[in-house]
Amino acid sequence: MKLVVQRLGGLVVSVSLGALVAAGCSGAASKGSGDGGGPGGETPVAPPGACSLPTGSLPPRRIIRLSPLQYSNALKANFNHTFEASALPPDPLAGGGFAVFDTNFAEKQVTPEHFNVFRGAADAVAAATIKSLEANNGCVLNKPDDACVATFVADYGQRAFRRPLDDDEAGRYRTFFKTAEGKWGAKAAARMIVEAMLQSPRHLYRTELGGGDGEKVALTQYELANQLSFMLADQAPDSELLQAAKDGKLRDADEVKKHAQRLMSGGPARARMVSLFTQMYGVSEGLAANLAKDTAVYPDFSPTLRDAMTKETGTFIDAVLNEGGSLKTLYTADHSYLNKALATHYGASTSGLGNDFKKVSLPAGRRGLWGHASVLAVHSHKDGTSPALRGITLFTKLFCRPIPAAPPGAVDLANGKIFAPDKNFTQREHFEFAKQKAPECTSCHGHFVPLGLGLEQFDGVGKQRTTEFGKTLDTKVNLTGYGDDVDGGYEDTLQLIDKVVQSDIGTRCFATQAFSFAFGQDVDSDTLDSCEIKRLADGLKASDFSVADVMLNLTQIDSFYNRRQGS
Amino acid sequence: MTTNYVRRRDLLLGLGTGAAFLAPFARQVKANAAGKVGQGKLVVFFTPNGHARAQFGSDGNDASFKFRSGMAGATPMADEISVIRGLSNKSQHPDRPFHDQISRLLTTKTGDLVHTGMGPSVDQAISDLSAKNPLNLKVYWSRYDNVGTYQNLSWKKAAFPNRNENDPRKAYTAVFSDFMPSGGGMENPEMKLALEQKKSVMDFLKEDIASFKTRLTTNDKNRLDVHLDAVREFEKKLETAPATPGAPAGTGGCPMAKADAAKAYPPPVDSGPYNRDAFKAHGDIQASLLLASLACGARVAGSIMWQGGAGGLNPLGGTGKADDHHNVSHNDAPYEVWSSIDNWYAGRYASFLKEAKDIGILDDTVVLWVTEITESHSHNNAIFPIAGGKNLGFKHRKSITLPFSGDENGGRGAARNTANRSLSDLWTTVYRACGGQGNFGEDVAGPITEVWSG
């Protein structure tokens, strides 16, 4: 679809011709479901070949407030307004026990603090809109007739709500305009309309309400367009996607795939995939910026080195995804992107390196994401390693096993019995001591601490070592009970990870994490056994572990198109 | 001290058009409310990991009132402080009596949801009396910050924790960008018009939200209620706002001298244990912001959380496990180390009280020092310093020991011994002092008359 660029004074607005015709210029509004979701009422069937989920297994009908980044991107795309996403208070991370992402819809609200910021942005956009209209002698500012008001409401409504307004919505905004115009004039009325639209839940949330009253409901065309674009690229749907929605094409999985591939070819979609991994491992820049270490124990550690660690991980993931995005490469690559300081920290070649990050071969024994100092240091204490923290992260993120709550008195027990070993104990000796003194703890800790012990060749800032307190480190790991394709003995946890990412449990777990991330949806152990997750895992293996293929395939499943009614 | 006032230009800078619209109202005097609603204010001063019980608190009364070593740092403000010993948190979850019970600390309500406060917290309830929100501020920011389990001190209602803002600039914006205290003066027709238009937009928005809610699930309707509350809160400010571009600044005006520094305070990124100066400076700026919000009438209750529950930062530093406040509280260091950390916070408590006194609000403000546990993860026989609020009926230089029976380091069973007083008695005392009617929380025996004359 050809884009029409309107230059309205200082305000440049890109809108689709089709959308304008549909939503504004004709002054017509669609007859909709009245729930803010746009036209609906289609049959809630799964795409051909996809698992048809029991209704209870589908995500619920819901509304999802835009994330700060999504909100910022939407204002930029539809109003050419620059909004600093960090002005909004961050939302709490939320999710199931092993999948915790900032996309989780449950924690996103419009609190008074959010409302203050949204209100400020609405005022700013409304003021800029009036300036543009004045510069272009917009009819709405000069004793507008009904058609002009209808066009204005339809046009700005579509920009704000990312879909055409339905009859009811358009009627209410037109009435509001007329009332305000009667009291304060057309200019004030136009400004108030834009202010109201940009503080409306229809703007601040996207809906997944669907049409119809059955137990299983089909998402509307515009809901699908919004879901697809925000899910893959954190962006409002563009003109091509809105046109496809208008044409009723988005219940065709092939058509959706075509748009998904188009969206995923851009930088925003790759940034979103990078975010999946940095959130999984707590190494996104904002979080890792607070990483502190005891410099008495780690004299080489500094904020500069910490920032280099974070930069390495982001650069590495982005580069891998840009080159085809194999999950296997992410976890097993024998190269990374280092600057001189980090290469020195790793004992890698510093030849040709300065402040910039360049592709470098890693020293033997270090590979993949779990060889990154950022991941290793974040999951350590400030004065030492933490097999428990590292183990819990591996247990939850690679195996999707939840960590049960500690039983009553567990910490008291630990304090009383465990924290008194020889100060020169290695972590393995410490764990063996704890197992003897408090064997009841091993029913839980026995699952994950050994995974962390298999990374003891990396200290608390991710530097390689072979000994601690003069003792040779034993990093062997033995895995049982996770499936024939992974159970067995390993020299260390990196060797185990090589195997896990290609295994049945590893691929199903990654599919589950991606599902939770994409849909902002709580997941649990049962999710791993769902038909959709198994199919996604099969697709992952068949595509040589392509991360992008998992994201694409998430648009081809029942959970993308349909919702359960809920109460 | 020097008293500054919110300036229009300052608010315009970086705060958006919303601030610009409201800025003319900012140079105002503090609100005067009839009765105790709005007069009585509450500050919750939270530090983590309990206290070294034997070294904390005070002994004696009146002339012989004296702090123990863990509170000696508060001595300069001893005339404004009493210490209550013997309260237990009877609402602790039966299976999770750990640091995560911070979620029940200010609500004192029982329930099956482990990490849920089960209702509004006392700061929210007092704020509700004045149709305001509490101001909840945090100092130390760790990478675990977003895991709310150990952070959720204040609750709007069950399942809706209030956010703790640790960025002073954002907190400043949140409080003062739409601040409209009452005051007199000549009416400004232009501003009156703008107010009417804003009110009209809010009216439309309320209808818009109501129509949007019709097909939503119960959870989403609740979510929209939060949005609606935000609209109503702003609407109330509009209703009480005078069309006054700048009322005369009388005595007791907004004390912005210290709080103004928040506007230039860099976003906190590394207030970790190896930057303790930043920790103190960050805490002090948050304290000044909270006090300014109370003095200006923008808020009536709030909290300052130095760290979340089980927080590890030892503001004094130390070696090995003694460098971690949480570890220290679990006997990884001698009691003196723990007590010295308590004493460092006692200094900040006294500093907070002095600033409140200097700006003239301490006698109307109750300042409670709370922590999520006592010792050994117990929630029994806890110690609570309470300060300020003399105009509300609070008495100071008192060491109050309420009867406690059973294992003070024990679990919920010991706490719920009917002979023991509930923490909810303290909240009921504060709630009533701030104008609330009836009791607050569960298991209430009544106000603590030893410290409050009512």
Side-chain angles (χ1 to χ4, degrees), chain A residues 496-510:
Chain A
L496 179 151
I497 291 170
D498 295 351
K499 203 74 177 283
V500 172
V501 292
Q502 304 175 58
S503 70
D504 182 53
I505 182 68
T507 49
R508 277 193 291 139
C509 181
F510 179 70

Side-chain angles (χ1 to χ4, degrees), chain A residues 138-391:
Chain A
C139 68
V140 76
L141 300 186
N142 188 24
K143 296 182 181 171
D145 58 19
D146 288 349
C148 176
V149 172
T151 301
F152 176 77
V153 165
D155 178 14
Y156 282 86
Q158 164 134 349
R159 297 185 203 196
F161 301 165
R162 304 170 295 275
R163 58 170 174 78
L165 276 63
D166 66 31
D167 290 346
D168 174 61
E169 291 165 339
R172 284 190 296 107
Y173 276 98
R174 288 196 299 264
T175 303
F176 182 44
F177 184 98
K178 283 293 176 191
T179 305
E181 184 193 11
K183 285 184 180 176
W184 300 297
K187 185 170 152 185
R191 177 174 47 74
M192 290 163 68
I193 287 285
V194 177
E195 283 180 25
M197 284 175 170
L198 294 185
Q199 295 172 73
S200 168
R202 299 163 211 267
H203 169 64
L204 301 175
Y205 290 83
R206 67 179 178 85
T207 64
E208 292 183 358
L209 300 173
D213 298 320
E215 285 188 13
K216 186 174 181 177
V217 295
L219 294 182
T220 67
Q221 291 283 330
Y222 289 101
E223 286 174 339
L224 289 168
N226 274 271
Q227 176 182 230
L228 181 67
S229 194
F230 283 119
M231 181 176 116
L232 294 182
D234 276 327
Q235 292 184 317
D238 61 11
S239 55
E240 287 185 57
L241 206 42
L242 290 174
Q243 185 63 46
K246 179 172 179 279
D247 296 341
K249 292 180 174 176
L250 294 181
R251 291 200 66 83
D252 176 347
D254 290 337
E255 180 76 10
V256 168
K257 192 168 199 170
K258 193 179 77 184
H259 286 284
Q261 284 168 328
R262 182 174 60 78
L263 290 170
M264 290 189 64
S265 64
R270 212 166 60 242
R272 180 134 173 85
M273 283 190 284
V274 171
S275 170
L276 162 63
F277 290 96
T278 55
Q279 286 193 50
M280 269 171 70
Y281 292 121
V283 292
S284 53
E285 284 180 23
L287 292 175
N290 298 289
L291 181 64
K293 295 289 174 184
D294 187 340
T295 47
V297 180
Y298 301 115
D300 296 341
F301 185 82
S302 66
T304 308
L305 186 64
R306 174 198 61 200
D307 293 345
M309 292 174 177
T310 314
K311 175 92 172 166
E312 178 206 3
T313 303
T315 307
F316 169 75
I317 299 171
D318 184 69
V320 170
L321 295 175
N322 196 33
E323 291 162 2
S326 161
L327 191 66
K328 219 162 56 174
T329 309
L330 286 172
Y331 281 105
T332 66
D334 59 4
H335 69 271
S336 188
Y337 292 81
L338 309 178
N339 64 3
K340 187 173 182 180
L342 199 51
T344 305
H345 186 68
Y346 281 3
S349 168
T350 57
S351 174
L353 293 178
N355 289 331
D356 292 339
F357 285 72
K358 293 182 179 172
K359 191 172 181 177
V360 173
S361 293
L362 293 172
R366 184 189 291 277
R367 60 185 177 278
L369 278 173
W370 275 96
H372 282 213
S374 63
V375 177
L376 293 159
V378 160
H379 300 102
S380 294
H381 294 308
K382 52 185 174 286
D383 57 356
T385 61
S386 172
L389 279 178
R390 290 176 178 178

Side-chain angles (χ1 to χ4, degrees), chain A residues 35 86 191 200 202 290 378, chain B residues 143 197 208 211 215 269:
Chain A
D35 57 13
S86 66
R191 177 174 47 74
S200 168
R202 299 163 211 267
N290 298 289
V378 160
Chain B
R143 65 194 168 86
Q197 292 171 0
D208 188 46
S211 73
R215 279 196 63 222
V269 289

Side-chain angles (χ1 to χ4, degrees), chain B residues 177-329:
Chain B
S177 68
D178 60 356
F179 166 57
M180 292 179 290
S182 59
M186 296 294 289
E187 286 204 340
N188 179 319
E190 188 182 335
M191 199 53 66
K192 189 177 175 186
L193 193 65
L195 276 171
E196 286 174 6
Q197 292 171 0
K198 287 283 173 200
K199 286 175 189 170
S200 179
V201 170
M202 292 304 123
D203 284 342
F204 180 82
L205 202 49
K206 282 189 297 181
E207 290 171 15
D208 188 46
I209 292 171
S211 73
F212 186 68
K213 277 172 76 172
T214 53
R215 279 196 63 222
L216 302 186
T217 62
T218 305
N219 278 344
D220 284 339
K221 282 177 180 165
N222 287 338
R223 209 182 315 280
L224 260 286
D225 281 343
V226 176
H227 191 158
L228 196 56
D229 285 348
V231 174
R232 287 181 178 139
E233 184 182 313
F234 181 64
E235 200 173 33
K236 276 195 183 302
K237 287 173 182 166
L238 290 171
E239 284 167 3
T240 56
T244 310
T251 52
C254 293
M256 302 306 295
K258 292 186 177 176
D260 268 351
K263 289 180 293 184
Y265 197 85
V269 289
D270 192 4
S271 55
Y274 307 104
N275 191 0
R276 294 182 186 85
D277 288 343
F279 181 59
K280 177 177 173 297
H282 188 181
D284 287 348
I285 196 79
Q286 296 286 63
S288 295
L289 262 177
L290 180 52
L291 286 169
S293 77
L294 299 175
C296 297
R299 298 288 191 275
V300 292
S303 62
I304 178 164
M305 175 187 277
W306 283 84
Q307 301 184 65
L313 188 150
N314 175 350
L316 296 169
T319 54
K321 291 188 183 301
D323 190 32
D324 185 306
H325 188 180
H326 179 230
N327 285 345
V328 167
S329 75

Side-chain angles (χ1 to χ4, degrees), chain B residues 68-79:
Chain B
R68 296 182 185 181
S69 61
M71 267 196 80
T75 300
M77 296 303 289
D79 287 350

Side-chain angles (χ1 to χ4, degrees), chain B residues 379-419:
Chain B
H379 302 262
N380 305 346
N381 197 22
I383 305 165
F384 293 94
I386 181 169
K390 283 179 178 171
N391 288 345
L392 310 174
F394 285 92
K395 300 172 279 191
H396 294 309
R397 295 189 72 90
K398 307 289 179 195
S399 300
I400 299 155
T401 301
L402 301 170
F404 178 83
S405 178
D407 182 359
E408 66 176 3
N409 290 334
R412 186 171 184 257
R416 295 192 68 78
N417 183 328
T418 51

